[in-house]
Amino acid sequence: MTEVKTSPAAAPAAAGPSAGTGTRRAARVKEAATGWLFVLPFAVLLIAFLLLPMAYAFKISLYRSTLIEGEVFAWFDNYKQAIDDPLVREGVVRVLIFGLLQTPVMIGLALVAALLIDAATSRFSRFFRLAAFVPYAVPVVIGTLMWGFLYSDSVGPFAWTGIDFTSTGTVLASLGNIVTWQWAGYNMIVLYAALQGLPRETYESARIDGASEVQIALRIKTPMISSALVLATLFTIMGTLQFFTEPLILQPLNPGAITTHYTPNIYAYQQAFSFQQYNYSAAISFLLGAVVFVGSYIFLFATRKRSALQ
Amino acid sequence: MAAVAATALALTGCSSGGDDKPAEKPTGTVTVKVWAWYPEFKAVVDQFNATHTDVKIEWTNAGTGQDQYTKLQTALKAGKGAPDVVMLELQEIPTFALTKHLVDLGKYGANDVKGDYAGWAWSQVSSGDQVYAIPVDAGPMAMMYRDDIFKKYNLTVPTTWDEYKAQAEKLKAASGGKSFMTDFGANDGGFMTGLFWQAGAKPYAYDIANPSSIGVNVNSAEAKKVFEYWEGMVNNGLADTTAFHTTDFYNGLGSEKYATYLAAGWGPGYIQANAGGAAGKWKVAPLPQWTAGANAQGDWGGSSFAVTDQAQYPDIAAKVAIEIFGAKNTEAWKIGIDKAFLFPTVTPVLESDAFTGKTYDFFGGQKVNEVFVPAYSAIGELDWSPFNSYNFNQLTTNLGQAIEKKTSWTAALDTAQENIKTYATQQGFKVQ
């Protein structure tokens, strides 16, 4: 499930004194109508492409249909089955491990890169900024296919290492590498933009106080962009829990290592489109959506002091 | 995610009229939408359209195998967006027949052409007078081997699996481990089933006429014999386990990594397209036998044309399915055979001199159909289950993990058997 964060349709009509004459009330109504008109395009899209499909998915997740016996209402049986399903659990544990390892590495890389190009002001930094961002511009499917070739043990440039990049032991790291390659540049740009918004005078006073560039980077710049860091990390966590495209594309290379229950999302997809278990798939998807929501919330709660999102 | 995708597809899927209204007599040229992934199919479509004025084929390549079935399942579930005529592999027919999404072609004259097909092939697509699809090509298995490697290391062409193993050991020693006898890709359930088929295993007992009852015998003694043999080959470094249909696999076929390829009748077409470098070096010999002198054969893949319940004019769609690669359509078969390496199931084409006597440059001028045609004729009957995707997935996942974790292959079969039985029970089947 794609989580879209929506601030409660920012009601522009709330301002202004409440009591009023007829004309003032009319003006307020008009103002409110204008506000709703602005929100309307978004609301229509939200309802058509998120809320309605979600409601439909929830509805079918309460049914159970079998090839022979047709469809019956089953209350929360599918959810019970999903919670008890060891394959679902295996996938959840895998994405959690993946997220715990990959997120800090990628955010760390992005931060280091952002600090470096913020410190440098040469033409080289502009080139570096663009180069680091390019992978993000490559569609995920293409990027993954490309890495599939790079990992190849017959035509890949790393074949000489003798490492099998798609074996059970290495494939999670190989996938992590792809995700980092794809997203580190994007996160770097987010952090770099935040750095650009900081007042330069602070650095001057720090330098006068005798702070080195490293100290400025770690003790001044980094804490000051903590809300951007939190945001980047939050998006990464959400993306990780929905891990799907990269393992699905690499699956043909070694289906023994990347199984059809590799991540909860892949499992749900397989259930629906390969095994005709649409109801079960909907239940898994809904549970996953709940986990993403709760996971994001916990993270935001834990970092609320730094996130400026109290 | 899944539900969102399904809804999005339903919203954007193009309609070809899926209502249950009786087909009215159409006026003018009728367009029939066809999904197929054969190489070189465009030429066949052009030929068909050039020779028909009342009907025109609109062809889409919606992906190969599971990719296409995923789209098809979605469109069928959504009630719109499916083609009129669709290419289905033989093992998929019960799946789509059970959910009643296939038109009974028996009503539209399909039984008139029954005599054009081998018994086992027709039984794969029909149940009594009900015909769910028209078979097009089959995948009789044979052993493709690299003549140059065999000559280089003085190997003899094996006729039994014992000899095959002995030659593999010789090859390993002579090449210093550089060449494998073959590759055993664990990612293709059809390949494994083909080998089981040859060994006489019957994983399922199923008849669409009695749809709620199924026999599951995936871990039979015959299947275990096959897996034990190949587990030994892999563990002794005689066979590689690179996944089929990948760059590394085709690269291995093009280089000297693999000395043989246990291929199906359609295999050469795909090799030529993906590993053409070794053209002229390959030859074909019959599949090695479990008992010396026997003639047991298996099938790997093969396809058919079925008509979906979304066809606006099922009679016209049926006509397309029957005619496009029918016995009389020699022009289409010329393209199918010469360019796409299709192995015809239709007997008049199969037995024609043009097919049996054809020499293939790719095989150094060998008349390979002298191997494939007798193999085809010796294939026994086999039932598929109505949830083949799940079964193939069980085979590939469990074997794949056994190879990765170096655990027993036969235990993987036992696991698959248990899971498939559970799945079948959950789906409401009476499992025997």
Side-chain angles (χ1 to χ4, degrees):
Chain A
M1 281 293 137
T2 318
E3 291 292 324
V4 174
K5 295 279 161 213
T6 54
S7 49
S18 55
T21 59
T23 46
R24 276 176 102 181
R25 182 164 301 170
R28 257 179 55 202
V29 169
K30 200 179 160 202
E31 212 172 281
T34 317
W36 281 110
L37 205 66
F38 276 111
V39 177
L40 192 68
F42 171 71
V44 167
L45 291 176
L46 179 77
I47 292 169
F49 293 109
L50 188 73
L51 297 183
L52 284 182
M54 266 175 77
Y56 177 71
F58 182 66
K59 192 197 130 199
I60 64 171
S61 76
L62 298 179
Y63 285 81
R64 164 149 289 197
S65 82
T66 63
L67 288 171
I68 295 300
E69 286 151 352
E71 202 161 68
V72 288
F73 189 71
W75 288 106
F76 291 95
D77 277 7
N78 290 319
Y79 290 90
K80 243 180 273 165
Q81 190 190 337
I83 291 166
D84 287 339
D85 192 335
L87 300 183
V88 172
R89 234 176 280 165
E90 191 189 314
V92 170
V93 169
R94 185 173 287 119
V95 293
L96 287 179
I97 293 173
F98 180 81
L100 284 175
L101 297 176
Q102 192 262 336
T103 308
V105 169
M106 182 178 68
I107 299 292
L109 274 177
L111 178 64
V112 168
L115 288 170
L116 283 175
I117 56 170
D118 185 58
T121 43
S122 63
R123 196 172 292 170
F124 180 73
S125 84
R126 206 177 301 162
F127 168 78
F128 184 75
R129 207 165 68 210
L130 183 69
F133 189 66
V134 161
Y136 176 68
V138 177
V140 179
V141 174
I142 308 293
T144 311
L145 282 172
M146 185 196 84
W147 276 102
F149 282 107
L150 293 178
Y151 288 152
S152 156
D153 57 21
S154 65
V155 296
F158 311 114
W160 57 271
T161 59
I163 300 171
D164 182 355
F165 290 100
T166 54
S167 73
T168 308
T170 54
V171 75
L172 201 61
S174 301
L175 288 166
N177 175 51
I178 299 176
V179 175
T180 304
W181 173 84
Q182 189 110 42
W183 290 91
Y186 169 82
N187 286 310
M188 182 201 76
I189 295 291
V190 171
L191 300 179
Y192 176 74
L195 284 172
Q196 292 289 295
L198 298 182
R200 298 267 148 188
E201 304 84 4
T202 333
Y203 311 157
E204 280 310 309
S205 37
R207 272 189 205 107
I208 291 166
D209 287 348
S212 69
E213 287 302 316
V214 175
Q215 279 171 325
I216 292 175
L218 293 181
R219 304 229 176 119
I220 296 173
K221 291 182 179 177
T222 307
M224 285 182 86
I225 58 161
S226 58
S227 64
L229 271 171
V230 167
L231 192 72
T233 310
L234 181 71
F235 286 154
T236 308
I237 290 175
M238 286 179 182
T240 302
L241 289 170
Q242 299 171 54
F243 202 25
F244 179 72
T245 314
E246 294 88 350
L248 192 75
I249 303 276
L250 286 194
Q251 196 170 42
L253 298 182
N254 190 349
I258 308 176
T259 54
T260 42
H261 53 267
Y262 198 71
T263 76
N265 234 342
I266 290 186
Y267 190 55
Y269 169 83
Q270 290 287 346
Q271 292 296 333
F273 298 110
S274 297
F275 311 150
Q276 288 100 56
Q277 309 225 64
Y278 296 93
N279 312 81
Y280 189 40
S281 169
I284 298 173
S285 304
F286 243 85
L287 273 182
L288 183 64
V291 171
V292 172
F293 182 79
V294 171
S296 320
Y297 188 81
I298 290 174
F299 178 76
L300 276 183
F301 186 78
T303 58
R304 66 196 180 284
K305 290 213 174 100
R306 300 211 172 275
S307 65
L309 290 168
Q310 283 107 335
Chain B
M1 167 88 204
V4 175
T7 315
L9 274 171
L11 287 169
T12 57
C14 48
S15 167
S16 61
D19 303 335
D20 273 334
K21 61 176 185 282
E24 292 156 30
K25 259 277 164 268
T27 49
T29 310
V30 175
T31 301
V32 172
K33 290 183 177 149
V34 178
W35 283 4
W37 66 75
Y38 304 111
E40 307 284 346
F41 193 59
K42 187 184 182 303
V44 176
V45 172
D46 291 344
Q47 184 271 333
F48 186 94
N49 288 342
T51 50
H52 289 72
T53 50
D54 52 339
V55 48
K56 180 176 159 293
I57 291 178
E58 190 185 305
W59 170 54
T60 307
N61 184 349
T64 307
Q66 193 57 51
D67 292 344
Q68 185 206 269
Y69 303 139
T70 300
K71 285 179 196 148
L72 184 62
Q73 288 286 7
T74 312
L76 291 174
K77 181 85 182 161
K80 54 168 81 169
D84 303 280
V85 176
V86 67
M87 174 178 170
L88 292 181
E89 284 165 287
L90 300 175
Q91 72 269 15
E92 295 294 328
I93 292 167
T95 301
F96 290 94
L98 176 70
T99 45
K100 301 200 166 32
H101 284 303
L102 300 185
V103 170
D104 174 15
L105 303 178
K107 288 183 198 151
Y108 303 105
N111 282 308
D112 299 346
V113 297
K114 182 178 173 178
D116 288 341
Y117 298 88
W120 78 268
W122 194 256
S123 81
Q124 293 262 311
V125 299
S126 64
S127 169
D129 276 348
Q130 298 215 304
V131 182
Y132 297 101
I134 305 294
V136 173
D137 78 316
M141 291 183 75
M143 182 185 76
M144 286 173 53
Y145 65 97
R146 284 282 296 266
D147 197 35
D148 55 332
I149 299 180
F150 268 58
K151 284 205 175 102
K152 186 170 161 189
Y153 298 118
N154 285 319
L155 306 182
T156 50
V157 177
T159 58
T160 66
W161 289 115
D162 283 340
E163 287 174 29
Y164 186 79
K165 192 173 172 212
Q167 296 304 313
E169 281 160 351
K170 202 170 151 190
L171 171 70
K172 186 188 172 189
S175 72
K178 194 171 136 284
S179 296
F180 290 95
M181 191 62 171
T182 192
D183 181 48
F184 193 98
N187 62 329
D188 196 312
F191 167 69
M192 287 179 241
T193 308
L195 293 178
F196 294 158
W197 199 330
Q198 189 213 15
K202 298 221 185 284
Y204 306 99
Y206 188 72
D207 183 359
I208 193 73
N210 179 18
S212 62
S213 172
I214 186 166
V216 180
N217 192 15
V218 174
N219 57 348
S220 63
E222 293 87 354
K224 284 190 167 175
K225 175 174 75 175
V226 173
F227 263 21
E228 268 163 14
Y229 176 86
W230 285 103
E231 184 179 1
M233 293 285 286
V234 167
N235 288 348
N236 292 323
L238 307 174
D240 190 26
T241 52
T242 296
F244 281 155
H245 326 298
T246 57
T247 315
D248 285 346
F249 167 68
Y250 287 120
N251 214 43
L253 289 178
S255 66
E256 291 192 12
K257 192 172 177 188
Y258 304 132
T260 73
Y261 169 39
L262 305 172
W266 47 263
Y270 287 84
I271 296 196
Q272 198 167 29
N274 293 292
K281 294 173 181 166
W282 289 94
K283 279 201 169 354
V284 179
L287 204 60
Q289 296 290 318
W290 288 101
T291 355
N295 183 25
Q297 303 294 342
D299 183 87
W300 173 12
S303 63
S304 66
F305 274 125
V307 175
T308 74
D309 61 345
Q310 289 180 25
Q312 198 174 1
Y313 304 110
D315 51 336
I316 296 170
K319 189 174 126 133
V320 170
I322 293 168
E323 282 184 11
I324 188 160
F325 277 115
K328 294 192 194 77
N329 204 347
T330 45
E331 279 303 306
W333 273 114
K334 219 171 131 47
I335 300 164
I337 291 166
D338 289 351
K339 294 197 175 147
F341 268 103
L342 290 187
F343 187 89
T345 46
V346 60
T347 318
V349 177
L350 180 81
E351 290 176 348
S352 67
D353 291 341
F355 186 65
T356 53
K358 181 176 164 56
T359 58
Y360 288 84
D361 292 341
F362 184 75
F363 293 103
Q366 190 191 356
K367 292 176 182 170
V368 298
N369 294 324
E370 290 176 350
V371 176
F372 280 117
V373 172
Y376 172 80
S377 313
I379 294 170
E381 300 209 350
L382 188 97
D383 293 342
W384 296 100
S385 81
F387 41 86
N388 186 67
S389 293
Y390 186 82
N391 301 340
F392 274 12
N393 178 259
Q394 281 299 315
L395 283 179
T396 54
T397 303
N398 288 305
L399 178 60
Q401 291 190 312
I403 291 173
E404 281 291 310
K405 294 172 182 158
K406 302 222 176 337
T407 54
S408 153
W409 287 30
T410 51
L413 269 185
D414 291 336
T415 310
Q417 164 82 7
E418 278 317 302
N419 290 352
I420 290 167
K421 273 171 85 170
T422 307
Y423 177 87
T425 312
Q426 277 176 356
Q427 291 294 332
F429 291 93
K430 283 194 289 293
V431 182
Q432 276 124 31

